Amino acid sequence: MRRRYSFRLDEDGHSVTVNVRSGWITETELLVDGKECAFHRVHGHGDYPLTLAAQLAEEPPRPLSVRLERTGAPEQPLVCVLELAGAVRPMPEHVDR
C-alpha cells in the first residue's frame, strides 16, 4: 500500500514543499515556489535519513536543504526539517482538506 506525506513551509516569501510517496518504490520531491528542484527515488520504503538540496531563486541564490528522518512513531512516521542560512526549522506536515 502506498503512503503519501507532504510537508510545507513558507519562508522569506518562498514556499518550500516536500512530497513523499512510499511503497514498492519511494519517491521524494523537493519543490521551491512550486518548481521541482530535487528528486530522489529508491526501491523499498525509503532510505533515511535523506537530505535534498536546492536554492532560493534570489540574487544571489540562497542554498537550502531539507532533511527527512524516521521517527519510529506510527502516528507520525516521518519528520522533515528545513535548513536555511544556518537556521533549522521543522516543516509541518501538510494535509489537504
Side-chain angles (χ1 to χ4, degrees):
M1 178 165 87
R2 287 187 71 89
R3 301 267 325 228
R4 294 179 181 260
Y5 305 94
S6 184
F7 302 90
R8 188 170 73 197
L9 186 64
D10 292 328
E11 185 70 29
D12 294 337
H14 297 278
S15 173
V16 179
T17 305
V18 176
N19 294 315
V20 179
R21 292 175 298 277
S22 69
W24 283 99
I25 296 174
T26 298
E27 299 174 328
T28 306
E29 64 180 349
L30 168 58
L31 296 97
V32 177
D33 296 330
K35 179 182 175 192
E36 185 179 289
C37 295
F39 184 83
H40 182 264
R41 173 185 270 168
V42 65
H43 288 276
H45 293 288
D47 205 12
Y48 300 100
L50 172 66
T51 301
L52 298 175
Q55 59 188 14
L56 297 179
E58 297 178 345
E59 279 305 319
R62 290 183 14 196
L64 66 88
S65 66
V66 294
R67 189 177 66 245
L68 286 151
E69 295 188 26
R70 290 193 192 277
T71 65
E75 63 276 358
Q76 185 183 17
L78 292 177
V79 293
C80 186
V81 295
L82 171 68
E83 298 177 18
L84 176 64
V88 177
R89 297 206 35 216
M91 293 182 66
E93 190 166 358
H94 176 72
V95 179
D96 289 326
R97 301 207 188 247

